[in-house]
């Protein structure tokens, strides 16, 4: 199911876009849940409360937080969300370049262009979901994008997935516990960028910023120390380095 959020302060426009999105996905056999918001604050509260929206359609000019501010705040919480700006002011497009917006559509002719954009978004969301780790039990079903997993460690009878996704309340990195063995998780990941460095730790090679002897550096200031010389040698090869410390930052 594709979770879609639409935000526009004009009630008539919001209702029209909401009906259009529902009809488009229904006619093309995509299962979508569409929510409309007439205030940016209401949309942000929903996301901060745990809503995992995959697609957002935003009006740039809204009272309170405008579309640009909403997009920036949402991207911090949902880095993979696709954002479509529906606007009467295309001059804002350059200002929003850093937000990695999926598409810009003029409101004047949204009916002509929106269908194609919605279908492109749905196809991309399907690809994103295939590149995710599925956590499922009696209480929840959640997909964790593989690219957001930093490493996995053994913790009691659980495997703990440490990600770079942020908790809406604390701003800290989110961690997910699954009651599985490390071997089970490793098999389910099924990707060559994930590597066991010992029995109790799996790392995502694609997310390591640098390697210096037995220290791995992830994005920001996070470090992970390992005691496996074979792993360090493997990581060096992955980064196409010539030897320990080559091209690396001083982590001491």
């Amino acid at each position: 199911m594709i979770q879609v959020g639409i935000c526009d302060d004009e009630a008539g426009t919001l209702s029209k876009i909401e009906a259009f999105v529902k009809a488009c996905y229904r006619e093309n056999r995509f299962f979508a849940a569409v929510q409309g918001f007439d205030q940016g604050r209401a949309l942000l509260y929903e996301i901060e409360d745990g809503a995992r929206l995959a697609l957002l359609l935003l009006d740039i000019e809204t009272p309170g937080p405008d579309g640009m501010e909403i997009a920036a705040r949402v991207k911090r919480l949902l880095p993979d969300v696709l954002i479509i700006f529906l606007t009467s002011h295309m001059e804002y497009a350059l200002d929003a370049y850093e937000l990695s917006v999926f598409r810009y559509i003029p409101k004047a002719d949204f009916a002509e262009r929106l269908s194609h954009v919605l279908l492109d978004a749905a196809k991309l969301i399907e690809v994103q979901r295939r590149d995710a780790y599925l956590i499922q039990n009696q209480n929840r079903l959640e997909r964790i994008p593989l690219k957001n997993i930093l490493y996995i460690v053994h913790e009691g009878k659980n495997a703990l997935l440490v990600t770079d996704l942020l908790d809406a309340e604390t701003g800290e990195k989110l961690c997910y516990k699954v009651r599985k063995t490390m071997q089970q998780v490793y098999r389910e990941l099924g990707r060559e960028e994930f590597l066991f460095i010992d029995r109790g730790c799996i790392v995502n090679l694609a997310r390591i910023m640098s390697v210096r002897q037995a220290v791995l550096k992830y994005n920001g200031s996070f470090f992970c120390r390992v005691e496996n010389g074979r792993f360090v040698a493997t990581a060096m090869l992955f980064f196409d380095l010539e030897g320990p410390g080559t091209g690396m930052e001083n982590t001491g």
Side-chain angles (χ1 to χ4, degrees), residues 5-22:
I6 305 169
C7 186
D8 196 301
D9 63 306
E10 298 177 4
T13 302
L14 177 61
S15 178
K16 186 184 299 184
I17 295 171
E18 191 172 346
F20 187 96
V21 173
K22 289 178 179 177

Side-chain angles (χ1 to χ4, degrees), residues 10 58-62 68 85-96 104-108:
E10 298 177 4
L58 303 176
D59 181 15
I60 288 184
E61 289 197 324
T62 56
M68 306 274 268
F85 272 141
L86 293 167
T87 179
S88 302
H89 303 276
M90 292 302 290
E91 63 270 20
Y92 287 115
L94 186 60
D95 295 333
Y104 299 88
I105 298 179
K107 276 189 176 180

Side-chain angles (χ1 to χ4, degrees), residues 30-192:
F30 286 103
F31 186 31
V34 182
Q35 293 177 270
F37 302 87
D38 59 6
Q39 293 183 2
R41 289 189 182 88
L43 170 61
L44 290 171
Y45 290 152
E46 187 75 9
I47 292 172
E48 289 169 355
D49 199 39
R52 306 289 291 182
L53 300 177
L55 176 63
L56 287 179
L57 289 80
L58 303 176
D59 181 15
I60 288 184
E61 289 197 324
T62 56
D66 61 20
M68 306 274 268
E69 183 181 347
I70 293 169
R73 290 171 63 178
V74 168
K75 276 286 188 179
R76 287 196 290 269
L77 299 172
L78 301 173
D80 291 320
V81 69
L82 301 183
I83 295 175
I84 299 170
F85 272 141
L86 293 167
T87 179
S88 302
H89 303 276
M90 292 302 290
E91 63 270 20
Y92 287 115
L94 186 60
D95 295 333
Y97 176 77
E98 293 183 358
L99 298 173
S100 301
V101 172
F102 183 64
R103 293 285 193 280
Y104 299 88
I105 298 179
K107 276 189 176 180
D109 60 350
F110 86 87
E112 299 176 14
R113 302 176 58 180
L114 186 54
S115 289
H116 295 294
V117 173
L118 289 172
L119 296 179
D120 286 346
K123 292 171 185 175
L124 181 54
I125 289 167
E126 285 188 335
V127 171
Q128 289 177 339
R129 287 179 173 173
R130 285 196 295 270
D131 291 332
Y133 183 78
L134 184 66
I135 297 177
Q136 184 174 6
N137 57 35
Q138 292 180 340
N139 301 317
R140 63 172 172 162
L141 173 64
E142 194 160 5
R143 289 180 174 87
I144 313 301
L146 297 183
K147 68 179 184 180
N148 294 115
I149 298 174
L150 299 176
Y151 63 95
I152 303 121
V153 291
H154 177 257
E155 188 176 271
K157 295 182 178 180
N158 301 299
L160 183 69
L161 285 72
V162 180
T163 76
D164 64 354
L165 300 172
L166 300 180
D167 183 281
E169 296 182 359
T170 67
E172 296 180 354
K173 289 183 175 65
L174 286 172
C175 299
Y176 299 85
K177 281 185 179 181
V178 291
R179 198 171 181 79
K180 295 181 179 180
T181 67
M182 296 291 284
Q183 285 288 353
Q184 283 178 294
V185 173
Y186 183 68
R187 286 195 300 269
E188 291 171 354
L189 289 168
R191 298 287 288 268
E192 63 182 8

